[in-house]
Amino acid sequence: NLLLTRTCLLTGHPLPPDSCIDYAISYYEQKKDCLNLAEAYFYKGRSFLNRHEYVKAMYDCKQAQLQAIQSGDLKQQHKIVEEIAYVNGFTSNYHLQLQNAKEALRLAKALQDDNRIAFSYNFINRAFLGLGISDSAYIYAQKTIPYLQSVKEKDMAYFLTIIGLSYRYTNPEKSKYYC
């Protein structure tokens, strides 16, 4: 059930009924398997996010985070805290997005993963843009740029747009270059 839900979300296929992922959650709770339980809650949260049910998505992401912390798996913790930052951005909770993005950055640096660092810097940048703190957004745009080589081509437009927005007040010509 967990694999089916994950596969459907990653491939864009219709999701199975919520009862499938709920079954996986129940199973991993009984087995006291924190790692897979965190994964199940994460994908349940992701399915709520896809349906724009942000409160439910956040609840399940926080449940996933608790389990991931118990598991000790830093990659999983990063993936989940980044998702929490993402949901906070969707709901314009920029202070919480900033807090979670900084935690994601801490984990990404611990993992020494340039792609994760790039995404974390970009989320911090986005949070500062949302808060209207353009000087800090500009600083994090500059910190993101050296990590762009680690970003997949399919994600590049997103990165460049956020960087371009960060430069719009401080350097309009550079903003045009990135946008």
Side-chain angles (χ1 to χ4, degrees):
N1 287 310
L2 174 60
L3 291 174
L4 175 63
T5 303
R6 178 188 307 152
T7 302
C8 290
L9 280 165
L10 294 175
T11 60
H13 287 84
L15 290 172
D18 285 347
S19 59
C20 285
I21 198 68
D22 288 339
Y23 178 80
I25 288 170
S26 176
Y27 176 81
Y28 292 121
E29 281 176 339
Q30 288 175 354
K31 295 288 182 185
K32 299 196 184 321
D33 181 344
C34 296
L35 195 61
N36 283 314
L37 184 55
E39 195 79 3
Y41 273 120
F42 173 81
Y43 284 110
K44 184 175 181 185
R46 176 66 67 86
S47 70
F48 282 127
L49 179 62
N50 287 353
R51 294 190 305 242
H52 307 286
E53 296 182 51
Y54 302 119
V55 173
K56 290 178 180 178
M58 184 58 73
Y59 175 82
D60 286 320
C61 285
K62 294 301 279 183
Q63 293 298 320
Q65 184 181 31
L66 293 172
Q67 295 302 317
I69 290 168
Q70 279 189 296
S71 78
D73 186 305
L74 294 182
K75 285 183 180 181
Q76 190 178 54
Q77 288 176 46
H78 178 271
K79 176 176 77 171
I80 293 166
V81 77
E82 187 177 77
E83 185 79 0
I84 291 169
Y86 186 65
V87 174
N88 282 318
F90 260 106
T91 58
S92 302
N93 289 319
Y94 300 117
H95 287 287
L96 289 174
Q97 182 184 29
L98 180 59
Q99 177 184 338
N100 286 289
K102 285 182 176 181
E103 175 63 13
L105 178 61
R106 184 190 68 75
L107 291 165
K109 285 182 175 182
L111 292 164
Q112 299 177 344
D113 185 322
D114 286 351
N115 184 263
R116 290 172 193 262
I117 291 170
F119 270 93
S120 298
Y121 277 140
N122 207 41
F123 275 120
I124 293 169
N125 181 352
R126 205 170 137 209
F128 280 125
L129 284 172
L131 291 168
I133 306 173
S134 58
D135 57 339
S136 293
Y138 172 78
I139 289 168
Y140 280 92
Q142 290 179 315
K143 289 183 178 201
T144 304
I145 292 169
Y147 292 93
L148 288 178
Q149 74 272 4
S150 70
V151 173
K152 293 178 184 171
E153 189 175 327
K154 70 180 182 72
D155 297 323
M156 194 59 72
Y158 169 71
F159 275 81
L160 297 176
T161 300
I162 299 299
I163 292 169
L165 288 172
S166 302
Y167 281 109
R168 76 179 155 198
Y169 297 118
T170 57
N171 190 336
E173 285 306 310
K174 217 170 197 179
S175 179
K176 288 178 191 175
Y177 172 79
Y178 284 106
C179 286

